[in-house]
Amino acid sequence: QVQLEESGGGSVQAGGSLTLSCAASTSTYYMGWFRQAPGQEREGVASFYTPMSKTYYSDSVKGRFTISLDNADNTLTLYLRMDSLKPEDTAMYYCAATRSLLGTTRILDKTVYDYWGRGTQVTVSS
């Protein structure tokens, strides 16, 4: 079992920045961030392949968001640094993890992630 707990959400004006954190009980092959806006499907934002520290991003956030993983003092934390935020980034953001090895076409596919946090809300005003 993998426990995940997000923090760091909040309200920010367009163009601003936020950093989300996800405390994880253990590492898995892929650890990622997903988001869900009201009335919309949950979508993959970014993922981190831990064995090679390789990162993947959706086209909508590429160049603005940065995913990273820190393992200091035996505390595992997944971060999502979000810059140049837009109103369309408003959503509940979820941390997720999977023990599976994924093909590149499925890295941001929510259906292959087995463990989920409860989410943290991000609101971007114009």
Side-chain angles (χ1 to χ4, degrees), residues 89-103:
D89 295 318
T90 295
M92 185 71 79
Y93 282 72
Y94 299 90
C95 178
T98 178
R99 298 186 189 275
S100 301
L101 286 171
L102 305 175

Side-chain angles (χ1 to χ4, degrees), residues 26 38 47 62 76 89 91 118:
T26 188
S47 189
K62 200 173 293 181
L76 192 66
D89 295 318
R118 293 185 178 182

Side-chain angles (χ1 to χ4, degrees), residues 20-119:
L20 305 182
S21 301
C22 172
S25 60
T26 188
S27 175
T28 61
Y29 277 122
Y30 288 91
M31 303 182 74
W33 288 96
F34 291 74
R35 67 186 181 186
Q36 188 167 17
Q40 307 223 356
E41 293 260 338
R42 190 171 298 189
E43 63 171 349
V45 173
S47 189
F48 191 96
Y49 179 51
T50 57
M52 295 179 64
S53 297
K54 193 166 183 181
T55 59
Y56 302 86
Y57 298 94
S58 67
D59 289 342
S60 61
V61 307
K62 200 173 293 181
R64 300 189 298 121
F65 290 12
T66 304
I67 189 171
S68 61
L69 186 67
D70 183 72
N71 191 10
D73 299 326
N74 289 323
T75 300
L76 192 66
T77 307
L78 185 73
Y79 295 101
L80 185 69
R81 167 77 180 186
M82 305 184 293
D83 295 315
S84 303
L85 282 161
K86 305 175 182 180
E88 51 263 44
D89 295 318
T90 295
M92 185 71 79
Y93 282 72
Y94 299 90
C95 178
T98 178
R99 298 186 189 275
S100 301
L101 286 171
L102 305 175
T104 53
T105 59
R106 305 200 73 188
I107 289 169
L108 294 178
D109 180 350
K110 62 181 182 296
T111 65
V112 300
Y113 284 76
D114 309 301
Y115 306 98
W116 293 87
R118 293 185 178 182

